[in-house]
Amino acid sequence: MSLLSTENISVQLSAPVVRAIKKGHPWIFDKGILKQNKAASPGDLAILYDQKRKFVGIGLFDPDSPIKIRVLHRGKPATLNTEWLKEKLSNIFALRSELINDPQTTGYRLVSGENDGMPGLVVDQYDQTLVFKLDTVAWLPHLDHLKSTFCDLIQPERIVLRVSRTVATAPSCPDHLKEGCVIYGLKLSGPVIFLENGLKFEAEPIIGQKTGFFLDQRDNRARVGQLSRGKNVLNVFSYTGGFSLYAAANAAKSVTSLDLSKPALDASLNNFELNRQIPNISKVPHILLCDDAFDALRRLAAEGKKYGVVILDPPSFAKKLTDVPGALIAYERLVKLGLKVLEKDGVLVSASCSARVPAVTFFDTVIRAAAMAKRPLQVIEKTSHAIDHPIGFPEGAYLKCIFARA
Ligand code: SAH
C-alpha cells in the first residue's frame, strides 16, 4: 500500500527553496512553487523537483494553509509506504529511548512534528493513551494509516485526536473527526494517569491545554525540585501543579500554586492527592491562589510575603511577530514583580514558551529587568529543550528557561 493512498502531484521549486529544503527546512510557501502539474487536494503527496527536474523530496500538500507543502522526505526517491513510515517512526522513537525505557516516566512526546521530520503531527504518550495533535488537514486522509502503524508499534489502549483551530474549521475536516474524539480503542471520560520521574500526574488528553499536560517542562521541573529543599516555593502560572509537585516531593517548606484557572488548580490538588504516599508531599502546606498573576504578585508583595524559590512560567505572550515588543514588556514586569516576593539570595526561575522571542533576547530581558530592580542576577543555568522536544529547524526552538539567584 502506498502510505498515502492519495494522488501524487509534481511540483517544481525555486532554487532558494531547494537549498533550504536540502538544509532541512520543512516548509514550502506559495512563492517557492514555480510549477505544479495539477490542482491538488489536502494530503496529496507532492513530489518535489528542482529546476533541472532533479528529485528533491516528497511533501504533504495543504491547499488551505499558507504553508502549502510540508516536507516528509528528502534525498533519494522513495515510496512512502508502511515500511517507510515504520522505519521513520522507529528512528524517531530511538532518539528518546532513554525516556521510553525509563519505568519511572510514562509520559513523553513521541513525535515532535517538524522537529522530528513529521511536519504538522505531534504524538504524545500518557501511559497507554496516545494523543495525535494535527496542525494541518494534510494528515487527515492518512489518519487510518497512522493509526494502524502506531497500533502495530506501540499497542496503545486508545488514541485521542486533537486538532488545531484551522483543522477543526476546515471544510475538509469530517464531522466524525472532531477535536478530542477517541479514534481508536477504549472510550475516555476523564483524565489519564501517568508517571514523570516517579511522580504520578493526571493529564486531560481530551480537554486539557495542548495534549493535556506540559511535557516540555519535565527537566526544568526536576531542576526546581533540586533547588526547593526547605524553601517556600511560589509557582506562578502553575497549571496542574507540575513544578509544585516536584518542589513538594523534594521537601519544600511550603508550596503556593497560583493560576487564573480554577480547573487547573483543582487538577493540581488531584495531583498532590495521587502522590499522598510520599511523606514530603502529604505533609507540605499547599496553598492555592486563583487569581491573575500580575495582580496576585502585587498583592503578595504588599502583604510582605517572601519566597525562597519563585517560578514564572507564563503562557506564550507573543503569538505573532508584532506581539514581541509587548511580550518583552510583560516578561520585564513579571520579573520585577517576582523579585519583589523573592527573599534575598532566593532562586528565580523564569521561562518563556514564545517561539517568536529568541532565547538571547529573553535572557537579556530577564537579566536587565532584574538589574533595573536592583536585584542583579547570578545565573545558575540557562536551559533549552528536553530530548523528546528536539529542535529540528530554527522556528522549532521555543522553550527557554533561566535559573538565577538574586
Ligand atoms: N507551568 C505549567 C504550565 C503553565 S501553562 C506546567 O509546568 O505545567 C500557563 C498557565 O498560565 C495556564 O494554566 C493558564 O491558566 C495560566 N494563566 C494564563 N494567564 C494567566 C494570568 N494572567 N494569571 C495567572 N495565570 C494565568
Side-chain angles (χ1 to χ4, degrees), residues 125-329:
Q125 177 159 1
Y126 298 106
D127 196 45
Q128 296 303 309
T129 296
L130 293 184
V131 186
F132 287 1
K133 167 83 197 292
L134 305 188
D135 274 337
T136 166
V137 290
W139 280 110
L140 289 172
H142 312 300
L143 210 50
D144 284 343
H145 202 128
L146 277 179
K147 205 164 70 177
S148 59
T149 308
F150 272 89
C151 286
D152 275 0
L153 293 174
I154 312 260
Q155 292 96 41
E157 220 165 58
R158 68 176 66 77
I159 303 176
V160 175
L161 182 69
R162 300 289 299 259
V163 294
S164 65
R165 199 165 308 144
T166 44
V167 175
T169 54
S172 53
C173 184
D175 274 350
H176 69 280
L177 293 179
K178 285 300 169 210
E179 168 74 342
C181 66
V182 174
I183 55 169
Y184 168 80
L186 303 177
K187 278 196 187 144
L188 184 65
S189 50
V192 290
I193 293 172
F194 67 98
L195 283 176
E196 191 182 271
N197 291 316
L199 293 171
K200 283 190 196 144
F201 283 99
E202 62 171 45
E204 289 272 12
I206 292 178
I207 55 165
Q209 295 198 35
K210 306 273 177 188
T211 64
F213 194 75
F214 288 91
L215 293 165
D216 53 359
Q217 287 285 24
R218 182 190 312 105
D219 294 349
N220 289 331
R221 286 193 272 267
R223 288 183 183 94
V224 160
Q226 289 162 3
L227 295 162
S228 294
R229 180 168 298 276
K231 302 282 168 57
N232 295 307
V233 176
L234 174 63
N235 181 9
V236 187
F237 306 98
S238 57
Y239 191 48
T240 56
F243 283 104
S244 304
L245 209 62
Y246 277 74
N250 285 279
K253 195 169 167 194
S254 76
V255 178
T256 303
S257 298
L258 163 57
D259 201 283
L260 200 51
S261 158
K262 172 83 166 52
L265 290 172
D266 289 346
S268 72
L269 275 187
N270 294 346
N271 285 330
F272 270 69
E273 197 53 40
L274 281 174
N275 294 280
R276 278 205 79 75
Q277 79 288 359
I278 301 173
N280 281 341
I281 292 180
S282 61
K283 67 175 195 234
V284 73
H286 182 205
I287 300 126
L288 301 179
L289 299 177
C290 188
D291 202 347
D292 170 74
F294 294 86
D295 291 347
L297 282 169
R298 258 182 235 110
R299 198 188 61 243
L300 292 169
E303 289 168 0
K305 292 269 185 354
K306 294 283 180 200
Y307 301 87
V309 178
V310 174
I311 303 145
L312 307 170
D313 180 27
S316 174
F317 285 154
K319 295 260 181 341
K320 44 188 193 312
L321 206 54
T322 49
D323 294 340
V324 170
L328 297 181
I329 292 170

Side-chain angles (χ1 to χ4, degrees), residues 210 216 313-317 331 351-356 398-400:
K210 306 273 177 188
D216 53 359
D313 180 27
S316 174
F317 285 154
Y331 287 128
S352 160
C353 61
S354 306
R356 300 283 184 183
Y398 68 96
L399 188 63
K400 46 267 172 200

